[in-house]
Amino acid sequence: MTTATATATALYDIPGPRTRRRHVAYGVLSTLLIVALLGRLVHLLLDTGQFTYAKWNPFTYEGIQELLLRGLANTLKAFAYAAVLSLALGAVLAAGRLSEHRVLRWAATLVVEFFRAMPVLVMVFFIFVALRVHPLPALVAGLTLYNGSVLAEVFRTGVNSVERGQREAAYSLGMRKTQVMTHVLVPQGVRAMLPAIISQLVVALKDTSLGFLITYEEFLHAGKLIASNLDYDLPFIPVVMVISPIYIGMCMLLSWLATWVARRERRSPKTQAVEVPPAEPGTLLPGKQ
Amino acid sequence: MDVLTDNWSLYGDGFLGTVELTVYSSLLALVLGFLMASFRVAPVGSLRAFGTAWVAVLRNTPLTLLFFAVLLGLPRFGLVLPFTVFAVIALGCYTSAFICEALRSGINTVPRGQGEAARSLGMTFSQTLAAIVLPQAFRTVLPPVGSTLIALAKNSAIAGAFSVTELLGTYRTLNELGHSIIWTFVWIALGYLIITLTISAAVNVLEKRWGVPR
């Protein structure tokens, strides 16, 4: 059956002619409702004068554009640092958690569990306020500690989900512990976890906006500066309308990449011995698995 | 050490503020998430599109941006509410997208044959839903919903930076009072640990009681 409606759920039967007519009626009704809702929103925007020349003109100024671009560049800079460092920290912590030495394993577990249970913002504020660090390093450090810990769990899950036979075969070929890890388990595990890793990077990208709260001059901060300018008639809503599509677009692009990689990896012969989970952000409870 | 005992009421207010924020936002997120999940599995095209758009946009929105837009933007449309309500709206809407996805994948794990068997026994749609699909979906949905709610509790810290009374926000007052900043944060961290571990324990209990590995 090629019915696109509600594919593969246990909820509905394949609709007959009368049900299909009913569904069409519901469809028309709900479309009207949604359109009415959107119309109300646009009306509200027009009513409060959000599309006036005075509020939108500033975006044609070169200085304003530069300000926004500088903010965007700062956001991407923080993201790049945080991404690279948290991948590195994640690798180190995962190695610790997979280690055969009990002390190392416990230490890594403690670190991972603590930083996963803490709000990122608490760490960022702690580093910023208590350790008196500049905004950018504070933001990057906070993001790295949190995302590194989550990524450690992702790496570990990946390595552990490689079929047992792979490890056994590698040992029986006479490979050493480290060789088994680096040549057999890690490549397959990481490959299978690539979608989850990219999804976690989306979280890191989204969380760079926390820099706004510690006066890091990122994208949102640039927006705030423009929005609170009296000369431009306080263009708050226009600023949100400019900034959010860019922010959301960047995150969507990265999320979409994760889904694409997941689809590719599931077909790839190189991940036959591992199960590739869907590109969802980490759903492990703290203290589990 | 005595930062906590000296400022018991301040910490208490902050802690209760975070709990309150978490509980109300969780309720909003669960209701909205359920609604959006039912939209996403509905046989009506436009509702499905609405649900998909809701999830796609909110899952990719930085929460700080959402707080920024809701707390500072909605008042410009003449909507004046306490900041706590705005914070609950922002947190609830944001989390509802994640709840929706968890619920939807839970519903999708119920094998198709279950619904077909129920219908062939003559069960109506609401009977199938209430007696067959939802009970089975509930069991698989518990852990992901639990971790989403923990994430919600942690995200509520952002509200403090927008002058809503909650745990992280207490550091500012304590800092001005000249208390040791390190100890201030130690107690704040402990407060968050208590909240997240409580949710985690509650989910574990529910899972022991209802969860069935499938």
Side-chain angles (χ1 to χ4, degrees), chain A residues 26-163:
Chain A
Y26 287 156
V28 171
L29 204 70
S30 54
T31 311
L32 284 178
L33 217 66
I34 292 168
V35 168
L37 215 68
L38 288 179
R40 176 90 186 92
L41 193 69
V42 172
H43 177 254
L44 203 65
L45 287 172
L46 285 172
D47 210 34
T48 48
Q50 302 300 341
F51 292 110
T52 53
Y53 177 75
K55 288 197 183 198
W56 283 87
N57 193 37
F59 293 104
T60 60
Y61 301 161
E62 214 158 276
I64 294 289
Q65 287 170 0
E66 250 169 44
L67 183 69
L68 280 174
L69 282 180
R70 216 176 312 127
L72 189 59
N74 278 339
T75 289
L76 290 177
K77 190 166 79 180
F79 170 63
Y81 281 133
V84 171
L85 289 176
S86 45
L87 283 172
L89 181 68
V92 171
L93 286 175
R97 288 212 67 179
L98 289 164
S99 161
E100 283 182 359
H101 304 285
R102 196 176 296 161
V103 180
L104 258 179
R105 209 164 56 224
W106 282 357
T109 308
L110 197 70
V111 170
V112 167
E113 292 297 340
F114 177 77
F115 285 118
R116 276 173 64 210
M118 248 330 93
V120 201
L121 194 60
V122 170
M123 291 182 255
V124 172
F125 265 99
F126 177 75
I127 298 166
F128 181 61
V129 177
L131 309 182
R132 293 170 201 283
V133 176
H134 283 292
L136 175 63
L139 177 66
V140 169
L143 290 180
T144 302
L145 285 175
Y146 176 70
N147 291 299
S149 305
V150 177
L151 282 175
E153 285 302 275
V154 172
F155 288 141
R156 195 174 65 99
T157 317
V159 167
N160 280 343
S161 65
V162 178
E163 261 175 33

Side-chain angles (χ1 to χ4, degrees), chain A residues 9 11 30 116 206 209 255, chain B residues 46 59-60 64 94 108 154:
Chain A
T9 62
L11 285 173
S30 54
R116 276 173 64 210
K206 289 198 311 191
S209 64
S255 302
Chain B
S46 54
R59 274 216 305 191
N60 289 304
T64 324
Y94 178 76
N108 282 340
K154 294 194 293 177

Side-chain angles (χ1 to χ4, degrees), chain A residues 24 121 126 151 256 271 283 286 288:
Chain A
V24 169
L121 194 60
F126 177 75
L151 282 175
W256 173 81
T271 56
T283 49
K288 290 208 81 184

